[in-house]
Amino acid sequence: MGKLTGTVHGDAANDLLGFYSDKVEELEDAGQFFMAAVALGFALETAILTYLLVEFGDDNGGELEIPDQVGMANLIKAANELEVLNAPIDVPSHAGADGDETRPKHIAKDVVDKVRSFRNLIHPARALREGYDPRTFTREQLEEYKEMYRSVTHSLLYYL
């Protein structure tokens, strides 16, 4: 098992985050709402991993070494232990464009597991066990997940 570090993997993680973010838009524009939401789940996992990799250096407690087999649940647990998913939502979103006064809709720690649980529906056995049909996923549901994602990215950026 290898280790991920900000020094070695930080730039690649940031590039991967950009890829998933672009895929969300591309899939949404193509009307592929379920797959866009799956890509959003991957973007969320990558955002948390990227935060952990790049935020911790010599000036902030030392570089983290994250096992390369870490799962999303463990990343969320680490982020919660560091209390970086509890940014206030009564301020303009740190994930918005400059001058955008839109506030996040959710406290990140309250919704991050909802995105993780949805993302896990990519596993056929889980989808079957839960009786989930991805063909029923709507644009409105995607918008809900995008709001949750924005709330998480707001929180991570708030604590940078």
Side-chain angles (χ1 to χ4, degrees), residues 74-93:
N74 288 329
L75 291 172
I76 292 169
K77 181 179 177 186
N80 276 320
E81 286 174 1
L82 295 168
E83 298 184 358
V84 296
L85 296 178
N86 62 358
I89 59 173
D90 61 347
V91 297
S93 175

Side-chain angles (χ1 to χ4, degrees), residues 3 6 14 16 21 44-45 82 84 94 102 113-114 117 120 122 127 151:
K3 301 285 184 180
N14 197 45
L16 187 59
S21 297
L44 180 100
E45 182 173 0
L82 295 168
V84 296
H94 281 63
T102 305
D113 277 316
K114 290 178 184 176
S117 293
N120 287 342
I122 64 165
S151 294

Side-chain angles (χ1 to χ4, degrees), residues 48-68:
I48 294 171
L49 177 60
T50 302
Y51 177 89
L52 294 172
L53 288 173
V54 301
E55 178 58 14
F56 292 91
D58 292 334
D59 61 336
N60 202 7
E63 184 170 66
L64 296 180
E65 292 185 353
I66 300 172
D68 61 6

